[in-house]
């Protein structure tokens, strides 16, 4: 098991094309930790905005009567992938990992696989 800072560092260092990562509480919209980003890409603003994405998807699933759990949500832009991975397990309720990838350098399948592994190791 790894703490938040260790997991964020590992995501940024080990996932090819990663430019930013955050652990976010979607009940409040607050980022509990961030790494990466840039002057033109504020991870705290992105975290708060993506909280609305998670909440909207959960509401839609509820209205449709879907019983499954969200594993991840992918938003693909012309130059980036934004990957939202809900944190499962003990203590992860209400949290998600948010990963920003440069789509020219990233392998999306490998990024999803590595983020899942990191999420499983996260101890909150």
């Amino acid at each position: 098991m790894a703490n938040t800072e260790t997991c964020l560092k590992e995501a940024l260092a080990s996932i090819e094309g990663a430019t930013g990562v955050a652990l976010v509480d979607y009940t409040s919209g607050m980022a509990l930790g961030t790494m990466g980003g840039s002057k033109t890409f504020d991870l705290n603003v992105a975290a708060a905005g993506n909280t609305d994405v998670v909440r909207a998807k959960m509401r839609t699933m509820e209205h449709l009567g879907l019983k499954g759990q969200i594993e991840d949500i992918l938003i693909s832009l012309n130059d980036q992938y934004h990957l939202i991975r809900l944190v499962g397990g003990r203590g992860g309720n209400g949290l998600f990992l948010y990963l920003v990838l440069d789509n020219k350098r990233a392998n999306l399948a490998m990024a999803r696989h590595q983020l899942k592994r990191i999420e499983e190791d996260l101890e909150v």
Side-chain angles (χ1 to χ4, degrees), residues 8-113:
L8 295 178
K9 282 181 182 177
E10 182 180 351
L12 204 54
S14 69
I15 299 175
E16 184 70 28
T19 61
V21 62
L23 178 65
V24 185
D25 177 345
Y26 65 78
T27 58
S28 68
M30 298 286 295
L32 304 178
T34 64
M35 289 211 170
S38 67
K39 290 182 182 180
T40 60
F41 193 90
D42 186 334
L43 280 167
N44 288 298
V45 172
N50 281 297
T51 294
D52 293 334
V53 172
V54 172
R55 288 178 186 161
K57 186 59 187 170
M58 292 180 125
R59 268 193 316 276
T60 301
M61 289 176 63
E62 184 179 332
H63 291 308
L64 292 171
L66 299 176
K67 302 295 183 208
Q69 298 293 316
I70 298 170
E71 286 185 13
D72 53 36
I73 299 169
L74 170 66
I75 301 167
S76 54
L77 305 177
N78 62 351
D79 61 347
Q80 295 177 337
Y81 296 127
H82 294 219
L83 189 57
I84 298 167
R85 172 129 192 125
L86 273 68
V87 176
R90 190 187 55 157
N93 198 18
L95 302 178
F96 67 88
L97 284 164
Y98 171 62
L99 179 66
V100 181
L101 299 158
D102 175 344
N103 71 359
K104 290 167 189 60
R105 297 183 311 136
N107 177 321
L108 186 55
M110 285 302 297
R112 287 184 69 220
H113 175 73

